[in-house]
């Protein structure tokens, strides 16, 4: 299943946040979206996932989601969005219950996703007992449980410290290598973008428009921390973004 | 650097973090009672000002031995339970509806704001006309008195449920009813329980007021009778029962909070 964005534009009152965004999100690729803060990245992701409607243009789903897919468009949020009153297991079963999956069938899925995210020993823990990195792994496990066709990630690692971020990036890469998934990955961190993205979409400052799409050919599994090729891509992205970021920063002061 | 003098940095942090220390609370009670006992015995507190704590205890013992205690406590507890259950359950339901539906909110919030400040005791004659001089009017008074604070606490609690959790539920395709039951209600529970503390204290106040205005048995009737005879021992015995009721209600809510809200960090 592919996603196609056609001429998306949106304004809040007379405040234009996004203009004419056309983009293809092909199956089994990770598309990273980078851009200065306030350029509409989160808003765009809400449009893709159907949590909000754009005023102009449309979001198209091309082809059907696989049959066993319970929730084709699945989010991973920056602040994890775990229910604090449910255990790790309970948080995952939450998203299965509405599909009528309970008992043994649910247990099978839960055990599988917990194993894939290395959380098996924490099934009975409450979110308050977990570190930020662990919470985000629970959120990833929860997303995997509904077998999404497309994962929508809004700065999923931004609330974590840099070591945890590295570890989780490795986890995401190995998850993808074992079973490629489609993802739209919003970030303001260029290192994450070049590490995880097959394509990196650079947005301009508000109103967000696509400035450039940078393709990174190197296979995900061969990319590593401190990779020279990736550094070159990261420099290129930063050169594209620097002026936008500065302008966006100054703009906020004038509000 | 080597020849400069050394001294430890002056500590200026700490404080502003009161910790509960249960024994101090108990001590305050004990000291107050001992002072009262000593004062009334030695005579610098006259018997007309304050009864002797040991006499109050004796009165209490007699009350218990004669079986009158339960004759008064029984009806009072029944009124409290029936009235508060009615008021709290209707209050929580209406509060949740206000929290969920714009039309209900627009329609009821001004109404609630208008009836909130009315001292409910003032309406007792009206309730007597509507529900009779018997138990009905007492139930109604307590129910009405607990209803308003419960509604306000409940819809505030529903409003404060983390919106990102609700968006999360929607993004996983949860049904409306699942979102209400599994996200909104548990998320609102802390606020609802702390509202309950206030509502139930109000219920005890209204209970006594209703019983003072017309009841043969009940803690309120007992206190009124003692008061009209200036029987300070019995008056104080009644007051102690009320304050014990308040303490027990609070302890029950604390227990529920510990059991159901252990997930809070
Ligand atoms: N619901 C909303 N109502 C009004 N303005 C909004 C709303 N959501 C976002 N905005 C504005 O739209 C702009 C883009 O927001 P967002 O998509 O969150 O940016 P980003 O995620 O790129 O930092 C911001 O300036 C923000 O203030
Ligand atoms: Mg954002």
């Amino acid at each position: 299943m592919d996603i196609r964005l056609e001429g998306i534009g949106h304004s809040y009152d007379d405040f234009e946040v996004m203009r004419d965004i056309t983009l293809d999100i092909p199956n089994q690729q990770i598309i990273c979206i980078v851009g200065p803060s306030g350029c509409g990245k989160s808003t765009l992701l809400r449009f893709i996932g159907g949590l909000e409607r754009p005023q102009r243009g449309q979001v198209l789903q091309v082809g059907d989601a696989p049959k066993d897919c319970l929730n084709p468009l699945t989010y991973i949020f920056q602040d994890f969005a775990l229910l604090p009153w449910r255990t790790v297991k309970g948080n995952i079963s939450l998203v299965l219950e509405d599909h009528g999956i309970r008992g043994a069938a649910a247990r099978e899925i839960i055990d599988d996703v917990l194993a894939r995210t290395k959380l098996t020993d924490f099934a009975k823990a409450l979110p308050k007992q977990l570190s930020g990195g662990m919470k985000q792994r629970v959120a990833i496990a929860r997303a995997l449980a509904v077998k999404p066709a497309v994962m929508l990630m809004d700065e999923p690692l931004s609330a974590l410290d840099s070591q945890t971020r590295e570890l989780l990036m490795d986890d995401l890469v190995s998850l993808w290598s074992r079973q490629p998934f489609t993802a739209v990955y919003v970030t303001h961190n260029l290192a994450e973008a070049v590490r995880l993205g097959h394509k990196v979409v650079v947005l301009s400052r508000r109103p967000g428009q696509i400035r450039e799409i940078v393709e990174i050919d190197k296979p995900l599994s061969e990319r590593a921390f401190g990779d020279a090729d990736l550094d070159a891509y990261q420099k290129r992205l930063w050169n594209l973004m620097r002026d936008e970021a500065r302008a966006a920063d100054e703009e906020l002061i004038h509000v | 650097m080597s020849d400069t003098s050394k001294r430890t940095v002056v500590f200026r942090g700490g404080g502003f973090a009161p910790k509960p220390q249960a024994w101090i609370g108990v001590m305050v009670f004990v000291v107050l009672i001992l002072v009262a006992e000593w004062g009334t015995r030695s005579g610098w507190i006259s018997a007309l000002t304050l009864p002797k704590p040991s006499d109050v205890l004796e009165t209490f013992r007699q009350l218990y031995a004669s079986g009158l205690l339960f004759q008064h406590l029984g009806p009072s507890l029944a009124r409290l339970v029936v009235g508060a259950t009615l008021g709290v359950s209707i209050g929580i339901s209406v509060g949740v509806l206000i929290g969920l539906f714009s039309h209900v909110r627009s329609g009821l919030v001004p109404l609630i704001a208008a009836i909130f400040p009315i001292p409910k005791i003032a309406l007792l004659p009206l309730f007597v006309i509507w529900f009779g001089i018997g138990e009905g009017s007492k139930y109604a008074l307590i129910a009405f008195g607990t209803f308003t604070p419960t509604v306000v606490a409940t819809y505030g609690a529903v409003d404060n449920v983390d919106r990102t959790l609700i968006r999360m539920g929607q993004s996983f395709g949860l049904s409306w009813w699942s979102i209400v039951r599994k996200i909104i209600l548990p998320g609102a529970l802390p606020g609802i329980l702390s509202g309950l503390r206030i509502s139930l204290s109000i219920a005890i106040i209204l209970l006594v007021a209703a019983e003072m205005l017309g009841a043969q048995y009940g803690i309120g009737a007992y206190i009124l009778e003692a008061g009209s005879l200036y029987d300070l021992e019995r008056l104080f015995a009644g007051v102690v029962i009320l304050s014990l009721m308040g303490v027990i209600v609070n302890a029950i809510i604390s227990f529920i909070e510990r059991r159901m809200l252990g997930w809070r960090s």
Side-chain angles (χ1 to χ4, degrees):
Chain A
M1 185 180 102
D2 298 354
I3 298 284
R4 184 170 300 150
L5 309 183
E6 286 185 354
I8 304 276
H10 193 74
S11 313
Y12 288 112
D13 303 324
D14 348 319
F15 183 79
E16 192 179 12
V17 280
M18 199 177 302
R19 183 186 293 171
D20 196 28
I21 295 199
T22 298
L23 179 66
D24 265 316
I25 298 154
N27 204 13
Q28 305 199 336
Q29 282 206 1
I30 299 178
I31 306 296
C32 289
I33 299 181
V34 297
S37 66
C39 75
K41 305 184 291 294
S42 301
T43 309
L44 185 62
L45 211 58
R46 286 201 295 277
F47 292 156
I48 299 175
L51 288 181
E52 210 174 312
R53 274 195 210 102
Q55 284 170 340
R56 295 173 290 281
Q58 49 193 346
V59 181
L60 297 174
Q61 184 178 320
V62 185
D64 288 324
K67 282 234 159 33
D68 61 346
C69 169
L70 298 176
N71 188 47
L73 304 169
T74 297
Y75 281 89
I76 292 174
F77 299 89
Q78 177 176 356
D79 54 4
F80 324 128
L82 301 176
L83 300 185
W85 50 87
R86 284 196 177 217
T87 60
V88 168
K89 225 168 135 174
N91 266 286
I92 300 172
S93 82
L94 172 80
V95 299
L96 299 174
E97 287 158 12
D98 266 47
H99 297 283
I101 301 174
R102 287 159 207 278
R107 211 166 317 131
E108 196 181 318
I109 296 177
I110 293 170
D111 288 346
D112 172 53
V113 295
L114 287 181
R116 276 156 76 192
T117 47
K118 301 180 210 131
L119 286 166
T120 306
D121 296 339
F122 302 92
K124 294 202 169 65
L126 283 172
K128 71 168 180 182
Q129 299 168 293
L130 302 175
S131 67
M134 298 279 271
K135 283 184 199 160
Q136 196 56 290
R137 297 224 306 262
V138 177
I140 293 171
R142 176 177 64 187
L144 293 174
V146 291
K147 306 197 170 59
V150 181
M151 295 235 241
L152 305 172
M153 310 198 225
D154 192 359
E155 312 214 13
L157 308 185
S158 295
L160 308 174
D161 63 72
S162 60
Q163 287 97 324
T164 313
R165 203 178 301 162
E166 283 300 326
L167 291 174
L168 267 170
M169 276 197 272
D170 288 343
D171 288 347
L172 284 174
V173 168
S174 71
L175 276 174
W176 189 89
S177 307
R178 256 182 290 153
Q179 201 184 87
F181 52 84
T182 314
V184 183
Y185 187 106
V186 166
T187 180
H188 61 249
N189 182 315
L190 299 181
E192 284 173 32
V194 297
R195 184 74 178 284
L196 297 171
H198 294 98
K199 283 186 196 150
V200 180
V201 177
V202 182
L203 293 186
S204 67
R205 77 189 134 106
R206 212 189 64 240
Q209 281 171 291
I210 295 181
R211 277 209 56 182
E212 193 154 331
I213 299 179
V214 176
E215 275 197 56
I216 305 180
D217 298 327
K218 197 167 189 168
L220 282 195
S221 53
E222 287 168 28
R223 302 182 191 180
F225 179 69
D227 192 316
D229 294 346
L230 295 188
D231 279 353
Y233 279 114
Q234 198 176 328
K235 281 216 184 72
R236 187 169 144 207
L237 288 172
W238 177 233
N239 283 330
L240 281 169
M241 273 185 65
R242 180 166 32 214
D243 297 335
E244 297 287 343
R246 182 178 298 136
D249 195 40
E250 282 163 5
E251 203 165 86
L252 292 178
I253 298 167
H254 296 308
V255 175
Chain B
M1 287 300 282
S2 58
D3 56 342
T4 48
S5 66
K6 284 188 223 159
R7 52 181 178 242
T8 45
V9 170
V10 177
F11 177 67
R12 50 186 174 173
F16 300 103
K19 288 192 209 79
Q21 282 174 318
W23 63 274
I24 296 185
V26 176
M27 281 295 289
V28 170
F29 275 106
V30 171
V31 167
L32 278 179
I33 291 170
L34 285 180
V35 167
E37 183 72 28
W38 172 65
T40 42
R41 265 173 205 271
S42 66
W44 61 266
I45 301 178
S46 87
L48 279 176
T49 319
L50 204 67
K52 224 185 277 178
S54 53
D55 287 348
V56 174
L57 194 70
E58 174 58 21
T59 312
F60 198 79
R61 203 195 57 73
Q62 279 168 10
L63 195 62
Y64 177 79
S66 64
L68 265 178
L69 177 63
F70 294 103
Q71 231 163 43
H72 288 297
L73 205 54
S76 285
L77 286 180
R79 286 165 193 147
L80 193 66
V81 169
V82 173
T85 306
L86 272 174
V88 164
S89 48
I90 300 173
I92 290 177
S93 314
V94 173
V96 169
L97 293 179
I98 290 177
L100 291 178
F101 300 106
S102 322
H103 286 95
V104 182
R105 169 175 302 241
S106 320
L108 291 187
V109 168
L111 184 65
I112 304 279
I115 58 179
F116 201 12
I118 301 174
K120 306 301 178 298
I121 301 168
L123 297 179
L124 187 64
L126 190 66
F127 288 141
V128 170
I129 296 171
W130 286 356
F131 302 105
I133 188 78
E135 297 301 293
S137 54
K138 297 180 183 64
Y139 295 155
L141 181 70
I142 297 171
F144 197 48
T146 48
F147 169 77
T148 34
T150 307
V151 169
V152 173
T154 303
Y155 82 73
V158 171
D159 288 351
N160 276 332
V161 173
D162 191 348
R163 295 294 119 168
T164 60
L165 293 181
I166 296 174
R167 294 284 169 268
M168 181 278 291
Q170 293 177 318
S171 80
F172 278 95
L174 266 59
S175 67
W176 181 88
W177 177 233
S178 283
I179 291 176
V180 171
R181 209 156 41 95
K182 298 170 184 173
I183 300 178
I184 293 176
L185 290 182
L189 193 61
I192 294 176
L193 283 178
S194 60
L196 216 57
R197 257 179 222 284
I198 298 170
S199 323
L200 293 183
S201 308
I202 292 176
I204 294 177
I205 295 172
L206 290 177
L207 166 74
V208 175
E211 289 178 344
M212 283 183 161
L213 289 176
Q216 196 178 0
Y217 289 110
I219 304 300
Y222 176 77
I223 292 178
L224 184 72
E225 191 191 314
S228 56
L229 298 171
Y230 283 91
D231 184 344
L232 290 191
E233 279 88 21
R234 289 172 63 196
L235 182 78
F236 268 76
V239 168
V240 168
I241 294 173
L242 288 180
S243 105
L244 280 178
M245 270 163 77
V247 169
I248 290 169
V249 163
N250 245 312
I252 292 172
I253 293 177
S254 300
F255 176 76
I256 296 174
E257 279 182 344
R258 269 200 305 280
R259 285 295 299 276
M260 300 189 66
L261 304 181
W263 49 267
R264 284 193 299 189
S265 37

